[in-house]
Amino acid sequence: FSEVLQTKRLALRRTRPATLCLQLMTLSIFSRCDKFAARRKEGNMNYQRVVPDTGRYLSRIGISEPVTVDIMGLNRLIQAHLTHVPFEALDVWGKGTVPSLDIGDLYQKIVRDNRGGYCFELNSLFCALLKDLGFEAYLVIASLLDEAGEPAPPAHSAIICCLDGQKYFVDVGFGGPVP
């Protein structure tokens, strides 16, 4: 996977009514996990928790037991999020407003108001949760490709999560993890 990431593009096939490809614009993501690992080893991880209440967020997605910071824990979190939080773009398409991407506002909407969101909202809040739980994760921008392989402008958000030197593509606003 990291060899593919170093090419700065990744196309993943999805089976949907209209087959789409997801092209990941990585820029320099292949080195980010190495930087996270080095900072963690040196004890330079000065991360401030940003999710107002991780316990309530975990409860919202149906998790009541501790989560391990490994691939099993990551998959458990993704599965729980995908089954409890819907994809919805009601604010964007229904109201014509641009939703806030502030973590506090996203927490209010998705956790307290028991709503869903679109890719930027869902992945931004989920990435903050992953970091708060101890995962090394960061957001990336991606674009959808049509069946002919023509890319649209980058307009999709996803997450890269680094575990044991392996990079995982995480997307709770479109799909799941990829080894």
Side-chain angles (χ1 to χ4, degrees), residues 44-86:
N44 292 333
M45 295 296 287
N46 295 324
Y47 178 75
Q48 297 287 333
R49 294 188 184 275
V50 294
V51 175
D53 183 347
T54 56
R56 187 166 178 179
Y57 190 167
L58 291 171
S59 179
R60 163 74 169 96
I61 61 175
I63 294 181
S64 58
E65 297 178 16
V67 177
T68 56
V69 181
D70 57 18
I71 190 62
M72 297 297 285
L74 178 62
N75 283 331
R76 185 171 157 224
L77 287 165
I78 293 166
Q79 180 67 32
H81 201 281
L82 290 172
T83 57
H84 288 86
V85 181

Side-chain angles (χ1 to χ4, degrees), residues 1-2 5-6 8 10 24-37 39 45 47 74 103 119-120 122-132 134-142 156-163 165-172:
F1 183 66
S2 77
L5 287 176
Q6 290 177 7
K8 301 187 190 237
L10 173 65
L24 179 62
M25 305 301 195
T26 64
L27 301 176
S28 62
I29 80 171
F30 56 90
S31 65
R32 275 185 108 164
C33 290
D34 298 331
K35 290 176 185 174
F36 280 127
R39 286 193 350 231
M45 295 296 287
Y47 178 75
L74 178 62
I103 296 300
C119 63
F120 282 88
L122 297 176
N123 284 318
S124 293
L125 186 59
F126 191 70
C127 186
L129 175 68
L130 290 176
K131 290 178 181 180
D132 282 2
F135 288 89
E136 296 169 2
Y138 56 92
L139 291 167
V140 292
I141 205 79
H156 183 70
S157 173
I159 303 165
I160 297 296
C161 187
C162 310
L163 289 169
Q166 180 81 19
K167 295 151 195 79
Y168 293 90
F169 179 79
V170 177
D171 192 348
V172 296

